[in-house]
Structure formats: C-alpha cells, structure tokens
Amino acid sequence: MKFLFLLLTLFVSLYADVYTQKLYETVLGSIFKERPIVVFATGDVKATLQNSKMFDVVGNCKNAVVAVIGNDTSLEQRCKNIPIFATTHRNYMRILNAFGAFYWRKGRPQIHFREGELKMFHLHLSHDLQRFIDE
Amino acid sequence: MNNNVFFKKSFYITYVTVIVLIVGAFYIFKIFDKTSSDIERLTLQSNIEYINNITNNLANLINKKTDMQLVNSLKISKVLRRSLEENLGMFRTKRYKYIYVVQKLPNTEKFCFLLDGAKKDKSGFLEIFQPFNIQEWLEVYKTKKPRYFKHRNIKSLWLTYLKPIVQHNKVVGIIAIDFSLNEYNYMHNTLDDLSFSIKIFMSLLLFVFIVVLIFVFIDKKRVYLLKKQAKEIQNFNITLQKKIDEEVIKNREKDKQILEQSRLAQMGEMIGMIAHQWRQPINAISAASITINMRAQMDTLDPKSTIELADKIGELTQHLSKTIDDFRNFFKDTKEKQDMTYDELVISTLDIVGVSVQNKNITIITDIQSDIVFCTYVNELKQVLLNLIKNAEDVLEEKKIKNAFIKIEAVENRLIVRDNGGGIPEDIIQKIFNPYFSTKTLNGTGLGLYMSKTIVENHCGGTISVTNDAEGAVFCVVLPST
C-alpha cells in the first residue's frame, strides 16, 4: 500500500513538471514564433525547458530571444535588452523589463502579463492569454 | 442414493453457496461503499461546521479591528495587517493549508490579496490573485453567503471554504480557507486500505470455502463409495448366507439320503445275518417236526416226548421271535437319547452280528473295563459298532487270515475295535472316512465309515479315529462323558 502511495506521489510530481513544461510551451510558444525558441533560463525552470523540444536553452542572454529568470537577480542587468519572463511574483514586480510571469500561489498557477512591456518588445499575445494582462 | 443424485445434490449445494457468497460479498461492498461515503460526508460536514464557526469569529474580528472599513484600514495600517495576519495564521494547521483574505478587483474577474495567514511564500498586499472555480468566488459576492467547493485540478488542495466579510451590507472581502488534500488522502487511504483488506478477506474466504467444498466433495465421494462398498459386501453376505443355508439344507438332505442308503445296505447284510441266526433254530424246528412225524408214523409218539418236542419248538420259535425283535429294534428310528454302557452296546450288537462272524471262523474277543453310562443315540452307535465289526470281518475273510480275531475293548470313555487283518495302507488311511471311498472289491458302498464318523461326531458329539498297530487296524471311538 505504501509502495502504491509512493508511486502515486511520484506520478503527481511528474505530472506537475509536465504541467509546468506544457504551460511554458503554450505561453512562450504563442508569443515567440521561431522554433526552437532560444531561451536563457536559470534555476529549476532551466531543467524544465531543456526537456521540451520547443526550446533551445542557451547559457547567456546574448543569443537568447527571451530570458526566463527565477530568483537570480544578478542576471537582470545582463539581460536587460531582451524580454524577461519571471517565475516569481517578487521578480515580476521588481524587474522592469519583465513582460510576464508564471508562478504558483496558494496551490494555483498564476499567469501575468504587462501590456507596456509587451508593446515595448513588440510581443503579441494570443486571444486566450489576453485575459491575463494586468490592468 | 445413486451417483447422479449425489452429484446433482452436491452441484446444487455448491452453486447455491457460491451465489450466496457472491451476493453476500456484493452486499458487504455496498455497505462498505455506503459507510465510506457516509464517513466522507460526515467528515466534510463536521469540517464545514467547524470552519464556519472559525470564519464567523474571524469575520467578526476583522470587522471589529477594521472598524467596518476593511480595505482602507488595511491600506493605512501595516500593523493592523500584521496583527490580523497573525490571527489568521493561528488557525493554519496541517488540515487548513492556506488561510487568506481576498478582495475582488472591480470590473474584472480577478482578486487581490488583502491578508495572508501564511508564514512562507507569503502573498503581498493587493497582489493579484487568479483563483480557479471563479464562479464560486463570484457567487459569494452575489449571495453574501459562505460556500465551499471541492478541487479536481489542484493537486495539493481538497476543498476551499469561502466566507464573505460583509460590511455595510456589502461584501468587501472573502476569507478563504484551503483544506489540505493530505487530510482527505489520509482518510481515503485508510478507507482504501480497509476496502483492500475486505476484498482480500472475502477472496480468501471464498478461496477457503471453495477448497473446503472440494475437500468435502471428495470426502463425500469417498464416504459414498465406502457406503456403496459396504452395502455391496452386506448384500454379498446376505446372498452368501442364503447360499450357505441352501447348501446346509442340501447337505442334510444328502446325509439323510446317504443314511438311508447305508441303512438299506445294512438291511441287506442284516437279512444275511437273520438267515444265519435262523438257520440253526429252523433246522432244530425242522428236526423236531420230522421226529414228531416219524414217531407218529411208527406209532411211537408218546405224550412226554411230544410235549418235550413241542416245548423245544416253542423255545426255538421264541428265539426266532427274539431275533426278529432285536433286528427290529436295531432299525428302529429312535429320536431320543438313551442311557447306555459300552458293555450293553457290545452285547446287543454281538447278539445281532456275533453268530455271523463266528460262523466265518473269526474269534470275537471282548474286554470291557468301562462302566460309564453314556446318554446317547444307542441304535446309531450300534450301527457304528456293527460297521466296524463287519469291516473287520470282510477284511479278515478277504485276506483269509488264519487265527483271525476281532477284539472289542472298552476303557473309560474309549471303545476300541481292533483286528489282525494287516491294517490300512498308509496312503489311503486319511481318506477312509470320505463318502463313497471303499477298498472292498465286492459290495462296498463307501458309506459305512463316512456314516460312522457322521454319527459319532455330529450326532453323539464324540470322535472317531483310525490307526494301524502291528497286527491290523485299530478304530477308536471316544464319547463325551455325561
């Protein structure tokens, strides 16, 4: 029984990773049209994106079209020329060129976009995602 | 009960029992499902009641501390926010994962956090919040009544309870409490364990029952076969007993016939003996008659000699009559036992056969040293002794033995008849009591010794045996002492 429970937990964990990966594919895939999307990522999200065929994860911001940044604030300055997608609410609020964010709050996924930054980087959201634009 | 009935009965019993077990199992599972859902319902109900009380108090506290100006008060006073968040945090347990207060943003379906009871990963004041099941949240604003709903697509949450904070008859915020899924999982896992155990138990029960049923079936079959065999043996015994009874009756009939044959044979011999016995007296009667006739013709018949001759004829006639009585008594079929000694037996037998034997120059020697009185069938024993004497006579005559003798001895309960005829060959001595076994070349029926053995052993309860001594055969009859 314990084994069954462990297996279930493992499955749910795997499912959560897949969910996150799928969400990144949906969100970033609808905004950036080139394939693969060259992305600079740090932290846990790097591994998640590396598992997806849609993304080409690179080691610096120079070649990337988008940066997905978690808690590492030191990257902020180096990536100020490309759009940044935050993975925490704190970074989303703090980083000026963050056009959007995805993070979990109270067990619920939270997606946010800033209209100004989207315009600044000439990014277009699909109709489905427009309801997540902060007003 | 035949095979078919037995197997049909067993099949029906098995069939009905399995059906009953299956129905029973379904019934148990149904009861378990109902109990399980009852437990779930009651747990939910109890949780809701409890959380309703908590949120009522929290709402009252918030209203009191914010002076019925929730948003403004919280915007102004960070201290108040912290104080209220501490109050919210006091109720946060493993069961109640998140406790927070949100407010709906105007003209959107988004909310913003006002208060958060969490210590880690705390949401910021006025941080935008996009809940799932948005309609449920909006409904609270509309109805001003608390609501709860279960989650299907949030992995760590089981249920969310929403309590409106009403100020000035208007919903100004919602106290939201998210129930951890762990509590629900714990309950469900326990019920699953129980269900699993019941299933295993029922399966084992069914398995054990089937195994027991198979063994009972095999045992019943074995018992049935044993019973069948026992009945067959019983029937066989009954048939066998019938056959034995029939054979016994047949043997008795056969013995009777043999006895009759033996008697007829003896009668033939007896007629010869009577002839021997009668010859002398008849000759004497004839001589007396001739004497009377001659004297009458010669006119010398005086009264005295006439009376003497007449008396002699009378005596001889009496002797003839006695002889006839002896023979008649010998053949009389007495059914009752009589007292007898060996001395009486020998004398009465020799009265019949003695003359005949002596006429053949065979000496009869008697040595009776027994005065035991036997209660037995006298005439039948006479036949036995007669047989033994006649057999000895035949052998002695056939072998033309010189100085032939037959010795009759009686010592205590033993009667011994021996002769000097040379004895019985050893290769046939064991067969001489068999029926129809005879060594005589003429007039041998082979029944004499067989009948003698039957009379002594079956009728009189004694034994008869034969051995050879230096001179001839020795027959020994032993009668039980009364």
Side-chain angles (χ1 to χ4, degrees), chain B residues 116-296:
Chain B
D116 188 355
K119 280 185 179 174
K120 290 180 184 176
D121 196 23
K122 200 176 175 77
S123 55
F125 181 63
L126 297 179
E127 178 186 325
I128 294 169
F129 177 59
Q130 300 160 347
F132 282 180
N133 307 84
I134 189 75
Q135 291 307 320
E136 298 283 347
W137 296 71
L138 295 175
E139 198 69 19
V140 174
Y141 264 84
K142 204 182 282 180
T143 61
K144 300 176 189 171
K145 285 183 179 172
R147 292 182 74 84
Y148 65 88
F149 55 90
K150 290 179 186 174
H151 291 284
R152 293 182 192 281
N153 43 12
I154 299 180
K155 66 174 183 179
S156 60
L157 301 182
W158 167 38
L159 181 138
T160 293
Y161 181 85
L162 304 175
K163 168 77 179 176
I165 301 170
V166 181
Q167 293 180 346
H168 308 296
N169 203 26
K170 191 179 169 189
V171 178
V172 292
I174 293 174
I175 302 171
I177 298 183
D178 291 330
F179 285 64
S180 169
L181 193 64
N182 290 342
E183 187 72 17
Y184 177 79
N185 278 345
Y186 176 74
M187 184 179 71
H188 245 258
N189 288 340
T190 309
L191 289 173
D192 282 350
D193 284 352
L194 195 63
S195 169
F196 183 73
S197 303
I198 288 172
K199 279 174 188 169
I200 291 287
F201 175 73
M202 288 304 292
S203 305
L204 270 176
L205 194 71
L206 196 68
F207 175 74
V208 167
F209 172 76
I210 288 168
V211 168
V212 168
L213 209 67
I214 288 167
F215 275 103
V216 167
F217 184 78
I218 290 168
D219 191 56
K220 279 237 173 195
K221 199 176 170 186
R222 189 180 60 80
V223 170
Y224 166 73
L225 287 174
L226 280 178
K227 277 185 181 174
K228 196 180 168 187
Q229 283 172 354
K231 201 167 183 180
E232 279 174 3
I233 288 168
Q234 201 180 351
N235 287 340
F236 179 73
N237 281 343
I238 290 167
T239 314
L240 197 66
Q241 188 61 44
K242 274 184 185 174
K243 280 187 178 174
I244 288 168
D245 291 344
E246 283 170 7
E247 287 302 315
V248 166
I249 291 166
K250 276 183 188 173
N251 274 345
R252 280 181 187 161
E253 286 293 321
K254 195 177 164 188
D255 283 351
K256 209 173 172 181
Q257 284 175 1
I258 288 169
L259 192 65
E260 287 300 316
Q261 278 181 328
S262 174
R263 279 190 165 193
L264 285 171
Q266 278 186 339
M267 277 178 86
E269 289 178 351
M270 287 302 127
I271 287 166
M273 288 177 205
I274 290 168
H276 273 290
Q277 293 274 28
W278 277 12
R279 189 164 292 146
Q280 195 187 353
I282 284 170
N283 283 341
I285 289 168
S286 179
S289 172
I290 289 166
T291 306
I292 291 169
N293 194 3
M294 283 179 66
R295 283 184 183 175

Side-chain angles (χ1 to χ4, degrees), chain B residues 285-433:
Chain B
I285 289 168
S286 179
S289 172
I290 289 166
T291 306
I292 291 169
N293 194 3
M294 283 179 66
R295 283 184 183 175
Q297 283 181 7
M298 288 187 290
D299 203 18
T300 58
L301 189 65
D302 57 297
K304 190 186 172 186
S305 60
T306 306
I307 290 167
E308 279 177 0
L309 287 168
D311 285 346
K312 194 176 181 181
I313 288 168
E315 278 175 22
L316 289 166
T317 310
Q318 284 293 321
H319 180 69
L320 291 177
S321 176
K322 186 178 176 295
T323 309
I324 286 291
D325 285 343
D326 285 347
F327 279 99
R328 199 180 61 184
N329 286 337
F330 179 76
F331 282 105
K332 195 186 281 178
D333 195 7
T334 52
K335 296 289 181 188
E336 290 178 2
K337 289 181 178 179
Q338 293 171 314
D339 288 342
M340 172 212 80
T341 62
Y342 278 143
D343 192 33
E344 290 166 353
L345 176 72
V346 172
I347 289 169
S348 60
T349 307
L350 288 178
D351 276 349
I352 298 165
V353 77
V355 177
S356 167
V357 174
Q358 282 164 353
N359 282 344
K360 291 174 181 171
N361 292 323
I362 297 168
T363 308
I364 294 177
I365 305 161
T366 57
D367 181 10
I368 310 300
Q369 293 176 10
S370 167
D371 55 359
I372 297 171
V373 177
F374 301 97
C375 183
T376 188
Y377 298 102
V378 178
N379 278 346
E380 293 192 357
L381 271 177
K382 277 184 195 173
Q383 282 186 40
V384 173
L385 185 56
L386 193 71
N387 267 325
L388 298 179
I389 292 169
K390 285 298 290 177
N391 279 346
E393 180 196 323
D394 290 344
V395 169
L396 293 168
E397 193 184 8
E398 194 178 305
K399 291 186 177 176
K400 295 176 182 171
I401 302 292
K402 287 180 182 176
N403 300 321
F405 70 84
I406 297 170
K407 190 175 182 180
I408 304 166
E409 299 168 75
V411 182
E412 294 179 346
N413 62 341
R414 285 179 290 136
L415 179 69
I416 299 159
V417 178
R418 65 174 82 226
D419 61 48
N420 59 342
I424 304 161
E426 288 298 327
D427 57 332
I428 62 165
I429 198 165
Q430 298 297 325
K431 300 177 186 173
I432 62 165
F433 290 110

